[in-house]
Amino acid sequence: MSSSTVITNIAALVTNDPSLGDHSPLGLVRDAAVVIEGDRVVWTGGSSKAPATDNRVDAGGRAVLPGFVDSHSHLLFAGDRTEEFNARMSGRPYSAGGIRTTVAATRAASDEELEAGLTRYLAEALRQGTTTFETKSGYGLTTADESRALRIAARHTDEVTFLGAHVVAPELADDPAAYVALVTGEMLDACAPHARWIDVFCEKGAFDGDQARAILTAGQARGLHPRIHANQLSYGPGVQLAVELDAASADHCTHLTDADVDALANSRTVATLLPGAEFSTRAQWPDARRLLDAGATVALSTDCNPGSSFTSSVPFCIALAVRDMGMTPDEAVWSATAGGAAALRRDDVGRIAPGAYADLTLLDAPSHVHLAYRPGVPLVDAVWRRGVRVV
């Protein structure tokens, strides 16, 4: 029989269960306790009412919230794009090829090098409170390289996404139709067994709406569920396509028409916002306030990748979203936990309630608001993942 642990003396417990505590979306419980048994939460409530358990942890009047759910990252890569970032931030033109630079380095890397990089970034994210993460292929762009990336990723997470349609492979740059045929045929056959999701970068310079539809529907026919890079750099068909195909999420969502906002608000498709990308490219911020006021479900994620958002810190993204995207601290924390879970169609993570996985983050602060109030400060003091303290 598994042992039980109570974490007590919690000043503010974010449950994301509106039936609890203050009955807000955060379900905030003051002077709270949580009981863990095995890998699950079995009880939440006031500290004075906590049942007897085998073990006891004193939170010391600090805040506890669900582990962050990072629903968009690109962690299977090799190489470094420091020079590109430095040039961009210095106002100098840079023509090193962006994604294709990483593709060349990734193809040249060994499996061991790719896995070492992945585990390094996962450990980095865990120390900052991330307990569930999605990651994508997309830097191989050959059947062999895409499938090996997914095999490696699947050893570390269930949330694996096939992104063969990141850009057209350089060797087929003059024949994008041939590359779409490869992605929807041989490459998909090799990659589908190792992934849960299929994604496409629907954007000028990558894949248009018709190509994106062909790729995502081919993935659906193989049992993969769609998500999509949509409307990041310009207005386009990505959001409407996401809603049409019941994609779990449309990611970026920077350039939206009123019709796009309405479509998201009236669908199950989550708008996943990735402020690290705008920070790292000095681009226009997504308007989270507009989406939230319309009733859309919003997630926050890191978009951790070597080119446009090389951060694994969800707390940093929370601070950006509050400062520059019109979100309240409560909304940003919800979007980085329950919102991320919704973007992965999960209800066993992103909340602290009986039956959910015991994924908890203890802050060295009395309130979750400190994540935005004290930007850049390492506030994560302890992390439990599936009932085991890992930080």
Side-chain angles (χ1 to χ4, degrees), residues 71 75 110 132 158 331 370 381 388:
S71 61
L75 302 180
S110 68
T132 302
D158 295 330
E331 288 167 340
H370 280 234
D381 189 67
V388 177

Side-chain angles (χ1 to χ4, degrees), residues 137 142-152 187 190-191 194:
S137 64
T142 67
T143 297
D145 286 303
E146 288 293 296
S147 60
R148 73 165 177 151
L150 296 174
R151 284 196 304 272
I152 293 167
M187 191 184 290
C191 291
H194 309 293

